[in-house]
Amino acid sequence: MEIKIQDLEHIREAARTFIEHIGESTVFAFYGKMGAGKTTFIKAICEELGVEDVITSPTFAIVNEYTISRQPSPVTHRPVVYHFDFYRIKKLEEVYDMGFEDYFYSGALCLIEWPELIEEVLPEDAVKVHITENPDGTRTISF
């Protein structure tokens, strides 16, 4: 599926469409160049799910946990979203040390930035989401 985002004013609409089409999947790997809008789109998804926490990139923490205040959630039975940013991972051992399996197989929604650095440990059913910046400044989300 493809979703086109015209500008920031329409990102929440794109996030709603994304949520409507994710089905039973819980692990989403977001691919895109630096500045493509991965964090911004994940923030919009979280906001549409009813997360009231401050949503920031977990670049230094590696993972942020957000509480979904609106229950039941339309996408998960767990009232949390895990937001990962593996940009600063130097060795795969760091991912093992953080207990990635506890997150990825929890049934909670997992939104992962820079998954190319940990692909060998991604669940087989992880959904690959590609964010592409188009020449006209719009973004295309494909999954």
Side-chain angles (χ1 to χ4, degrees):
M1 169 163 206
E2 281 194 358
I3 302 168
K4 192 164 187 176
I5 303 172
Q6 295 298 326
D7 51 41
L8 279 176
E9 291 179 21
H10 294 93
I11 197 163
R12 296 279 298 262
E13 179 183 321
R16 277 192 298 277
T17 301
F18 180 82
I19 291 166
E20 290 169 3
H21 290 90
I22 63 175
E24 300 292 317
S25 300
T26 57
V27 179
F28 294 85
F30 288 80
Y31 295 83
K33 294 180 179 179
M34 182 76 73
K38 296 179 294 294
T39 301
T40 304
F41 189 60
I42 288 172
K43 180 179 179 184
I45 292 168
C46 291
E47 289 170 347
E48 284 300 311
L49 289 172
V51 171
E52 295 175 358
D53 303 323
V54 175
I55 303 161
T56 59
S57 179
T59 302
F60 295 100
I62 300 175
V63 62
N64 286 345
E65 178 179 327
Y66 309 123
T67 301
I68 299 173
S69 60
R70 191 178 320 137
Q71 288 297 318
S73 164
V75 296
T76 181
H77 301 293
R78 302 276 319 276
V80 297
V81 175
Y82 296 116
H83 178 193
F84 298 86
D85 184 334
F86 290 112
Y87 182 74
R88 297 203 180 279
I89 290 294
K90 301 280 188 261
K91 294 184 266 181
L92 202 54
E93 287 79 31
E94 294 174 65
V95 181
Y96 285 102
D97 290 344
M98 71 172 286
F100 76 93
E101 291 170 318
D102 293 338
Y103 297 102
F104 292 178
Y105 298 100
S106 68
L109 191 61
C110 295
L111 308 174
I112 304 165
E113 295 185 53
W114 300 103
E116 46 274 80
L117 301 175
I118 62 145
E119 280 194 327
E120 59 193 81
V121 299
L122 283 175
E124 285 184 24
D125 62 348
V127 177
K128 293 183 177 185
V129 181
H130 296 273
I131 301 179
T132 307
E133 184 176 5
N134 302 311
D136 62 0
T138 62
R139 305 292 197 272
T140 301
I141 312 291
S142 57
F143 60 103

